[in-house]
Amino acid sequence: MFQEWKNYGLASIAIGGGEPLIHPRIVEIVKLGRDMGYFMAVTTNGTILKPIEANRVHISYDELHSTWKNEDFLQNAIDFYKKQKCIVGINHIVSNLKNIEYIQKTFENFDNFLLIREKPVSQFKDWDKIQYLNYFWIEGCIEGSHCEQGILSFHLDYELKASICSNFKEKIPYTTLIETWNKLKLFNCEIRDSKAPKIF
Ligand code: SF4
Protein backbone atom coordinates (compact mmCIF):
# COMPACT_ATOMS: atom_id res chain seq x y z
CA MET A 1 0.00 0.00 0.00
CA PHE A 2 2.85 2.42 0.76
CA GLN A 3 4.06 1.90 -2.82
CA GLU A 4 0.58 2.29 -4.30
CA TRP A 5 -0.02 5.52 -2.37
CA LYS A 6 3.36 6.91 -3.40
CA ASN A 7 2.39 6.50 -7.05
CA TYR A 8 -0.50 8.88 -6.41
CA GLY A 9 1.58 11.42 -4.54
CA LEU A 10 0.19 10.82 -1.04
CA ALA A 11 2.33 12.90 1.29
CA SER A 12 1.86 11.70 4.85
CA ILE A 13 0.80 8.74 6.94
CA ALA A 14 -0.41 9.01 10.53
CA ILE A 15 -0.37 5.83 12.61
CA GLY A 16 -2.67 5.66 15.63
CA GLY A 17 -4.27 3.05 17.81
CA GLY A 18 -5.10 1.53 20.21
CA GLU A 19 -1.43 1.82 21.04
CA PRO A 20 0.68 1.51 17.87
CA LEU A 21 3.98 1.11 19.71
CA ILE A 22 3.04 -2.39 20.91
CA HIS A 23 3.33 -3.55 17.30
CA PRO A 24 6.57 -5.55 17.15
CA ARG A 25 7.57 -4.08 13.78
CA ILE A 26 6.52 -0.46 14.32
CA VAL A 27 10.10 0.82 14.12
CA GLU A 28 10.54 -0.84 10.70
CA ILE A 29 7.14 0.34 9.45
CA VAL A 30 7.86 3.95 10.34
CA LYS A 31 11.36 3.74 8.84
CA LEU A 32 9.96 2.25 5.62
CA GLY A 33 7.58 5.19 5.31
CA ARG A 34 10.36 7.70 5.98
CA ASP A 35 12.66 6.02 3.47
CA MET A 36 9.90 6.25 0.86
CA GLY A 37 9.57 9.98 1.48
CA TYR A 38 6.37 10.09 3.54
CA PHE A 39 5.89 12.41 6.48
CA MET A 40 5.32 9.86 9.24
CA ALA A 41 3.28 10.74 12.33
CA VAL A 42 2.56 8.47 15.30
CA THR A 43 0.13 8.93 18.18
CA THR A 44 0.99 7.09 21.39
CA ASN A 45 -0.05 7.07 25.04
CA GLY A 46 3.66 7.46 25.84
CA THR A 47 3.93 4.38 28.06
CA ILE A 48 6.24 2.64 25.58
CA LEU A 49 9.32 4.49 24.40
CA LYS A 50 10.76 3.15 21.16
CA PRO A 51 13.38 4.70 18.88
CA ILE A 52 10.95 5.36 16.04
CA GLU A 53 12.16 7.73 13.35
CA ALA A 54 8.81 9.47 12.99
CA ASN A 55 8.65 13.06 11.81
CA ARG A 56 6.05 13.74 14.46
CA VAL A 57 4.96 12.01 17.68
CA HIS A 58 1.86 13.07 19.60
CA ILE A 59 1.39 11.85 23.16
CA SER A 60 -2.10 11.52 24.63
CA TYR A 61 -2.50 13.12 28.05
CA ASP A 62 -5.85 13.77 29.74
CA GLU A 63 -8.20 12.55 32.45
CA LEU A 64 -9.22 9.56 30.34
CA HIS A 65 -5.70 8.13 30.40
CA SER A 66 -4.16 6.36 33.42
CA THR A 67 -1.05 8.53 33.03
CA TRP A 68 -2.98 11.70 33.94
CA LYS A 69 -1.16 13.89 36.50
CA ASN A 70 1.96 11.75 36.27
CA GLU A 71 4.08 14.72 35.32
CA ASP A 72 7.48 12.98 35.30
CA PHE A 73 6.12 10.39 32.94
CA LEU A 74 4.86 12.87 30.38
CA GLN A 75 7.92 15.14 30.49
CA ASN A 76 10.15 12.09 30.12
CA ALA A 77 8.20 10.91 27.05
CA ILE A 78 8.35 14.41 25.51
CA ASP A 79 12.10 14.63 26.09
CA PHE A 80 12.67 11.11 24.73
CA TYR A 81 10.99 11.88 21.39
CA LYS A 82 12.56 15.32 21.14
CA LYS A 83 15.94 13.57 21.42
CA GLN A 84 14.85 11.39 18.46
CA LYS A 85 14.47 14.71 16.59
CA CYS A 86 10.68 14.29 16.27
CA ILE A 87 8.22 17.15 16.34
CA VAL A 88 6.42 16.42 19.62
CA GLY A 89 2.85 17.26 20.52
CA ILE A 90 0.39 16.61 23.31
CA ASN A 91 -3.08 15.28 22.46
CA HIS A 92 -5.61 16.39 25.02
CA ILE A 93 -9.30 15.52 25.27
CA VAL A 94 -10.71 18.74 26.66
CA SER A 95 -12.91 18.68 29.74
CA ASN A 96 -12.23 22.12 31.23
CA LEU A 97 -10.13 25.25 30.83
CA LYS A 98 -8.14 24.55 34.02
CA ASN A 99 -6.63 21.40 32.58
CA ILE A 100 -5.50 23.24 29.46
CA GLU A 101 -3.75 25.84 31.63
CA TYR A 102 -2.21 23.13 33.84
CA ILE A 103 -0.60 21.44 30.84
CA GLN A 104 0.69 24.72 29.46
CA LYS A 105 2.25 25.68 32.79
CA THR A 106 3.65 22.28 33.74
CA PHE A 107 5.37 20.93 30.64
CA GLU A 108 8.09 22.20 28.38
CA ASN A 109 9.89 21.22 25.22
CA PHE A 110 6.79 20.29 23.19
CA ASP A 111 5.80 21.82 19.86
CA ASN A 112 2.05 21.32 19.42
CA PHE A 113 -0.92 21.06 21.72
CA LEU A 114 -3.88 19.34 20.07
CA LEU A 115 -7.26 20.00 21.69
CA ILE A 116 -9.72 17.15 21.09
CA ARG A 117 -13.46 17.00 21.65
CA GLU A 118 -14.67 14.16 23.90
CA LYS A 119 -16.64 11.50 21.98
CA PRO A 120 -19.46 10.82 21.51
CA VAL A 121 -20.71 13.69 23.67
CA SER A 122 -18.66 16.52 25.08
CA GLN A 123 -19.76 18.48 28.15
CA PHE A 124 -17.23 21.21 27.34
CA LYS A 125 -18.86 24.22 25.72
CA ASP A 126 -16.27 26.96 26.22
CA TRP A 127 -14.27 26.57 23.03
CA ASP A 128 -14.55 30.28 22.35
CA LYS A 129 -13.08 31.07 25.81
CA ILE A 130 -9.77 29.36 25.04
CA GLN A 131 -7.08 31.91 24.55
CA TYR A 132 -5.83 30.60 21.24
CA LEU A 133 -2.03 30.35 20.93
CA ASN A 134 -0.01 29.59 17.84
CA TYR A 135 1.01 26.11 19.00
CA PHE A 136 -2.61 25.04 19.56
CA TRP A 137 -4.14 22.63 17.11
CA ILE A 138 -7.90 22.24 17.21
CA GLU A 139 -9.48 18.97 16.20
CA GLY A 140 -11.88 19.26 13.29
CA CYS A 141 -14.70 17.67 15.26
CA ILE A 142 -15.30 20.84 17.22
CA GLU A 143 -18.33 22.50 15.75
CA GLY A 144 -17.30 25.68 14.02
CA SER A 145 -13.70 24.63 13.46
CA HIS A 146 -12.32 23.75 10.04
CA CYS A 147 -12.30 20.05 9.19
CA GLU A 148 -10.93 18.65 5.97
CA GLN A 149 -10.95 15.00 6.94
CA GLY A 150 -12.49 12.82 4.26
CA ILE A 151 -11.39 15.45 1.73
CA LEU A 152 -7.64 15.78 2.26
CA SER A 153 -7.22 12.58 4.24
CA PHE A 154 -9.05 9.40 5.14
CA HIS A 155 -8.84 6.74 7.80
CA LEU A 156 -7.93 3.09 7.28
CA ASP A 157 -8.30 0.58 10.11
CA TYR A 158 -6.41 -2.65 10.83
CA GLU A 159 -9.06 -4.67 8.93
CA LEU A 160 -8.54 -2.48 5.86
CA LYS A 161 -11.86 -0.75 6.23
CA ALA A 162 -11.88 2.89 5.24
CA SER A 163 -13.83 5.83 6.62
CA ILE A 164 -13.64 9.60 6.33
CA CYS A 165 -11.98 9.84 9.77
CA SER A 166 -11.38 7.73 12.86
CA ASN A 167 -14.52 9.15 14.54
CA PHE A 168 -16.82 8.20 11.72
CA LYS A 169 -18.79 4.96 12.16
CA GLU A 170 -19.64 4.18 8.54
CA LYS A 171 -16.89 2.20 6.80
CA ILE A 172 -16.26 0.69 3.38
CA PRO A 173 -13.75 -1.99 2.37
CA TYR A 174 -10.49 -0.58 1.01
CA THR A 175 -9.93 -1.49 -2.64
CA THR A 176 -7.57 1.01 -4.25
CA LEU A 177 -6.64 4.49 -3.13
CA ILE A 178 -8.53 6.27 -5.88
CA GLU A 179 -11.63 4.09 -5.85
CA THR A 180 -11.88 4.14 -2.05
CA TRP A 181 -11.31 7.88 -1.75
CA ASN A 182 -13.80 8.70 -4.49
CA LYS A 183 -16.46 6.78 -2.55
CA LEU A 184 -15.54 8.44 0.75
CA LYS A 185 -15.84 11.89 -0.78
CA LEU A 186 -19.56 11.24 -1.21
CA PHE A 187 -20.08 10.79 2.54
CA ASN A 188 -21.52 13.65 4.58
CA CYS A 189 -20.48 14.53 8.09
CA GLU A 190 -23.00 16.63 10.00
CA ILE A 191 -20.30 18.53 11.91
CA ARG A 192 -17.89 19.07 9.03
CA ASP A 193 -20.59 20.06 6.59
CA SER A 194 -22.64 22.19 8.99
CA LYS A 195 -22.91 25.93 8.58
CA ALA A 196 -21.92 26.57 12.19
CA PRO A 197 -20.17 29.92 12.62
CA LYS A 198 -16.41 29.55 12.71
CA ILE A 199 -14.96 29.98 16.19
CA PHE A 200 -11.25 29.49 15.30
S1 SF4 B 1 -15.07 14.44 9.37
FE1 SF4 B 1 -16.65 14.95 10.87
S2 SF4 B 1 -16.47 13.39 12.47
FE2 SF4 B 1 -14.56 13.39 11.29
S3 SF4 B 1 -13.13 14.77 12.37
FE3 SF4 B 1 -14.20 15.96 10.79
S4 SF4 B 1 -15.97 16.88 11.82
FE4 SF4 B 1 -15.23 15.18 13.11
Side-chain angles (χ1 to χ4, degrees):
M1 280 193 296
F2 280 18
Q3 190 56 58
E4 183 210 345
W5 297 341
K6 202 74 218 161
N7 294 338
Y8 289 106
L10 201 84
S12 67
I13 298 170
I15 303 176
E19 174 47 58
L21 294 193
I22 61 174
H23 194 289
R25 298 185 69 188
I26 188 68
V27 175
E28 284 172 74
I29 293 167
V30 173
K31 182 169 184 336
L32 175 68
R34 282 290 299 260
D35 290 348
M36 291 177 73
Y38 289 109
F39 183 98
M40 296 298 293
V42 173
T43 301
T44 173
N45 62 21
T47 56
I48 303 168
L49 303 179
K50 283 190 177 175
I52 46 173
E53 294 175 32
N55 299 82
R56 190 176 75 222
V57 173
H58 267 221
I59 305 162
S60 304
Y61 187 72
D62 47 55
E63 288 172 333
L64 301 183
H65 285 85
S66 59
T67 53
W68 179 241
K69 293 283 169 109
N70 186 338
E71 278 114 25
D72 290 345
F73 152 84
L74 182 65
Q75 191 60 59
N76 186 40
I78 293 170
D79 294 341
F80 178 86
Y81 287 111
K82 285 300 284 185
K83 273 198 199 123
Q84 311 285 319
K85 309 227 176 314
C86 308
I87 299 164
V88 177
I90 297 173
N91 280 11
H92 179 68
I93 297 175
V94 176
S95 48
N96 58 58
L97 290 170
K98 252 170 66 182
N99 286 350
I100 296 175
E101 282 165 21
Y102 151 71
I103 291 175
Q104 285 181 274
K105 279 191 196 139
T106 310
F107 302 104
E108 50 191 36
N109 209 16
F110 61 97
D111 304 291
N112 307 319
F113 190 4
L114 172 62
L115 306 178
I116 303 172
R117 178 180 179 271
E118 189 174 358
K119 316 286 182 327
V121 180
S122 171
Q123 303 306 324
F124 185 74
K125 305 285 177 225
D126 292 334
W127 295 104
D128 53 347
K129 294 201 177 64
I130 296 173
Q131 199 201 335
Y132 188 83
L133 298 171
N134 62 3
Y135 65 94
F136 278 0
W137 290 11
I138 307 289
E139 188 197 32
C141 245
I142 297 159
E143 202 134 19
S145 67
H146 296 264
C147 178
E148 290 171 331
Q149 296 205 43
I151 301 162
L152 295 181
S153 65
F154 71 88
H155 179 258
L156 192 59
D157 73 11
Y158 59 95
E159 294 177 310
L160 296 190
K161 294 207 174 99
S163 53
I164 62 175
C165 72
S166 59
N167 305 315
F168 208 73
K169 294 274 174 292
E170 213 172 328
K171 296 182 178 183
I172 57 171
Y174 179 84
T175 51
T176 64
L177 180 77
I178 298 300
E179 188 180 35
T180 308
W181 211 333
N182 280 340
K183 286 183 186 166
L184 291 174
K185 282 178 185 167
L186 302 176
F187 281 64
N188 288 322
C189 166
E190 271 178 34
I191 303 171
R192 183 192 68 189
D193 304 328
S194 79
K195 301 272 185 276
K198 300 293 176 205
I199 54 172
F200 295 106

